[in-house]
Amino acid sequence: QVQLVESEGGLVQPGGSLRLSCAPSGSIFSIRDMGWYRQAPGKQRELVALITPGGNANYADSVKGRFTISGDNAKNTVYLQMNSLKPEDTAVYYCNLRTIFNNYWGQGTQVTVSS
């Protein structure tokens, strides 16, 4: 069973930066897109950013201009560069990978923005 392996999140001060990465533990084919979602306490999981193998990216309005999603197609790896972090970015971040057959989720990694 292929799993998505995420890098560790962490504690960051407001205004700081953090980079997340995610890669599958095995081979995956026919990828539709890869992305990042997040879930804050008491809130629903929401899309943060999404990227297709062709490089088309979409972002939640709340992160536009601060976060950048990128991918390495050769490694099926997706990155999320988070800059100018705010306390409201605090959440568990989940990696997601969709193929034409399956939908994979990472285990989630905690990102806390606090002074």
Side-chain angles (χ1 to χ4, degrees), residues 88-99:
E88 50 264 44
D89 294 319
T90 295
V92 177
Y93 283 71
Y94 296 91
C95 178
N96 175 257
L97 186 156
R98 295 194 300 173
T99 73

Side-chain angles (χ1 to χ4, degrees), residues 36-40 44-49 60 62-63 88:
W36 292 92
Y37 291 72
R38 68 185 180 187
Q39 188 167 17
Q44 290 187 334
R45 190 174 298 188
E46 62 175 2
L47 173 67
V48 176
S62 59
V63 307
E88 50 264 44

Side-chain angles (χ1 to χ4, degrees), residues 4-23:
L4 296 184
V5 181
E6 300 166 348
S7 59
E8 287 191 8
L11 173 63
V12 184
Q13 291 189 341
S17 297
L18 191 64
R19 188 192 195 209
L20 301 179
S21 66
C22 171

